[in-house]
Amino acid sequence: MTDALQPLQDQLQSLCRLDVLNQWRQAHGSISEPLNPQTWLNWQPVTLNERGHIPWRRGKEELWLSQTLVIPKSINGFDVSRFRLYLSLRWWADFAQLYLNGILHRTGDLFDCFGRILLDESVQPGQTLHVALYLVSPSHDDGALVTSDLIYENEHLDPGFVADELAVCRQFCSGFFNKKLNTLVIPNFELLPQKQEQFLEELQQLHEQLNDVFSSTQGTLYLMGHAHLDMAWLWEISETWTAAQRTFKSVLNLQTQFPELVFSHSSAALYDWIECHRPDLFASIKTQVERGVWEVAAGLWVEPELNLISGESIVRQILYGQQYVLEKFGQPVRVAWLPDSFGFCWQLPQLLKQGGIDYFVTQKLRWNDTTEFPYDLFWWESPDGTRILSLMSAPIGQGIEPQQMASYLKSWQDKTGLSDGLWLPGVGDHGGGPTRDMLEVARRWQGSSLFPKLAFSSATDYLDRLQGQVDATCPVWRDELYLQFHRGCYTTEGDRKRANREGERCLYQAEVFASLATITAEVPYPGESLEKVWKDLLFNQFHDILPGSTIPEVLAEANRVSAAGLATAKAIRDGAIMTLLQGLPASTPPYPEAIPVYVVNALTWSRSQVVSLPLPNSDRRWRVCNLCGEPVPSQRFQGELQILAEAVPGVGCARYWLYIDEEAPQDNLSYHTTRAPVLENANLRATIDAETGNIQQIFDKRNQQELLNSQGGNQLQAFRDQGQYWDAWNIDPNYEQYPLNPPELECFDFLESGNLRQRLRVVRRLGESRICQDYILDKDASVLVIETEIDWQERQVLLKTAFNFAFNTDIANYDMACGTIARPTQPQTPAEAAKWEVPALQWADLSTRDFGVSLLQNCKHGYDAKPNQLRLTLLRGCQWPNPESDRGIHHMTYAISVHPGDWKTGKTDHRADELNQPLRVYTNITASGGDRPPSQSHQWLSVAPDSLKLMALKASDRYPNQWILRVHDRHGEAQQLALGGVFTEMTRTRVNLLDETQVGNETIAPWQIASFRLQSQQNLTGQ
């Protein structure tokens, strides 16, 4: 058996490798003269823990380690003279420095945490080397020196090299060893040290024998230098720029000495910063790109979180990434390099392909905690049928370790049937890239005929070669790429999720109305300002910023940038809307001093909604009428006047007048603590439990259906959520085994009980946290809204809201970018069971054949479902990497939408959009445009059918005075696009995401994303 060779391999390795971990001496804290070997005599011997490591306490604690090495004449009987000497280390430390003879020789950190350090090119017996190691523990975890080995290496043949050769051969040719074990020359270790030359002769014979048998049979392992560089994580963004410069300079220097080195790096935002702040470095990179040894794999602006952002955000990640690379490097990016994002939405293949990208690469699903992802190479197919060739790459952040590389290549060959693999050497996370030692080791193994052939390649060239070898047996994956890990990132740092959602909504509105204002009033289109806000938003979608898995300083910076961007987008939106409203036909006020009121709808279908009007003087009594002077039902609340704005057209407005009427009622307030807590309209009756504040029952009057079972709804459930090393990232898989006491009801009061709106406030207390919720039911609504303010003070507690239904269903549907995904409520496989917390954008739904219920929200993403239950995760309370994560005030709104039929029939997607983009109210704007007669409502743009969602309307980046309109089908049905309003007479050209003309018409296939370039006949004629 091949295991019989393990002792031989270990013996050979031991001749040149010596474990010196327990030979260090230690001193803690700030030490006087720590580099003076004389002081080391007073330091204490180290003690290894049960894991065989040198440990010390967390919390930025300092540790000094020292060791004086006296080179022996031999180790294990083998003469070491004229050998190179390396110290191989692996540490777990926030900061590390290694000193050799008092001189700093190497620095590192949590991410640059391993490697071989060359101590001497040619050691001599009796030589003395003084080595000191300074380590600082992480703030969140105990520190450790994990390994410490001395390695003696000869540039010719040495026992350690043959041991590695033997290990490589065993990976590929275990069958040979089973049959031919007795034919191998086994060096006689008893010859050492007296007959060293004879031993070396036998070692040479073994080496030649292995080479004769296994030469050139293992395929090619391509190498690509790589340095995964997080835009922010456990360091501030400013430090990323420093790390990038250090990494890129290191790579450029290495390429002068190792011209074979091909390096690849992603993230257009990073290149953009380098271009602006280090033009000299950027010019050197550009030269290497032109030489073909530097690949700009920046198909997206950053490597974003891809479960929690809208489809249009993904479009802009691709658009701005591709635009930048095309402009600066003259070539598009054909690979989406996304090694570290925390899962991938199902429409990503279609989006990437429409953005000119041919290949998708990640390695993150290797982190799965339940099942192994089955494929290393596969076609990933979107719901519309678009396929992209996808690679589950080798792990990132690796060195040149022959045994590990051989193991990977053998696994790749077994899984795919293809001979050539791709290995990614280079220190990552905090940058660094390939090291000199890695490249020297690679060169040495290139000279071994029994090792797989080694050659450098870019990712795109490698994937091009693979595509030529893919046949019909290549598997097809028709599903999301769900990461069975990091499920807490759907919820952690709720303020980041809310800011992202607000930014996406406001940018959509700003672009739509700015486009319409430019077309109708010829005001300049604010393209540069919008692009700046978009790029800031996209940066903050990076896969450690939006998920909340970063330090407080990064979050503070992200909040500042988000607030500034939101203010700019709001100013653009409101300015454009004011321009459009001023262009409407003038209307005569029906009453003296009446104030014009406009209710604006940013969505593409007509809708009705209760809106609140700010009052110029809350001491006066006010009413609202339509343009004909007919009063509109209203209701006073907290100094504002609420009206039901009816049938406000899509991307249009309804017009009203606000006037003083001293007979109008005052605020409709009624703090009825004795009234039964029931909210009711023509469609629903919601009964609130007076003991708990939960929803006791929702009765659907249209279907005469009780919707909730005896456990009720909006049942706030708290669980202990601790014990996970990746605290911000991971929810404890066993959290349901640790329930906490439910919140205690403090009070409930009716704040409104008028004909338009009923509002019941419920206040509860959970530990040190206060939860204030308003149940809101509007006239004729089928949606019960729950406006929520939580002063959250809990640590390592998970808070969910549960809705328990009086019906069962096998499937839950969830909103995702540009589509919907169905997930089973009764898992049948381990992979399905691993989806016990799943992401969604705006809604989740359980439906029977006849009716259903949707759980909508405006800034939350983590759901779970059972056949008769939907739960939404509201908050967590992590302690690492942000000790104060989510502590403070949170505002969120979620709602229960009751509908007939399934989610499509019930228009769940519309209700969710309406919750996220409420009607907007504008006052004191005087319409003065044209001679047309005024009308109660006006529509600037119509998009039909309403199962097509408008993703964007914006100016074309490539063609002046032309416009990009993008929609997607969200019902899985072929649609014919019909446009009205200002675009009625414009010509339409089908384009991809990069505004490149495509073959196609106005028919949109099921689940398809479709973009059109629009231009007036006048512009077309002028061209």
Side-chain angles (χ1 to χ4, degrees), residues 526-557:
E528 290 186 4
S529 296
L530 287 167
E531 182 174 324
K532 169 67 166 58
V533 177
W534 262 116
K535 286 180 176 177
D536 286 343
L537 180 77
L538 300 179
F539 191 96
N540 282 336
Q541 290 172 348
F542 180 74
H543 65 256
D544 275 309
I545 299 178
L546 180 56
S549 48
T550 189
I551 58 175
E553 294 84 354
V554 172
L555 296 167
E557 173 68 5

Side-chain angles (χ1 to χ4, degrees), residues 641-663:
L641 189 65
Q642 298 176 147
I643 67 168
L644 178 61
E646 296 189 90
V648 183
V651 193
C653 70
R655 307 173 66 175
Y656 300 93
W657 291 99
L658 175 67
Y659 62 98
I660 295 174
D661 182 351
E662 297 299 344
E663 297 182 1

Side-chain angles (χ1 to χ4, degrees), residues 599 609-611 613 624 632-635 641-645 656 756:
V599 179
Q609 189 176 43
V610 174
V611 298
L613 313 183
V624 171
V632 174
S634 60
Q635 181 174 319
L641 189 65
Q642 298 176 147
I643 67 168
L644 178 61
Y656 300 93
L756 290 184

Side-chain angles (χ1 to χ4, degrees), residues 45 52 54 82 288 306 312 366 406 624 731 742 777 877 929 935 948 963:
I54 299 174
R82 297 182 303 278
Q288 297 302 80
L306 286 160
E312 188 59 27
R366 295 186 183 278
V624 171
I731 296 172
L777 186 63
S935 60
L948 290 177
W963 308 92

Side-chain angles (χ1 to χ4, degrees), residues 599-643:
V599 179
V600 177
N601 181 7
L603 302 174
T604 56
W605 56 90
S606 174
R607 57 176 168 143
S608 302
Q609 189 176 43
V610 174
V611 298
S612 296
L613 313 183
L615 298 177
N617 184 344
S618 59
D619 294 333
R620 305 295 298 270
R621 298 192 178 192
W622 299 85
R623 284 194 191 273
V624 171
C625 66
N626 60 24
L627 293 196
C628 298
E630 300 166 342
V632 174
S634 60
Q635 181 174 319
R636 285 284 295 266
F637 178 62
Q638 293 185 347
E640 294 188 332
L641 189 65
Q642 298 176 147
I643 67 168

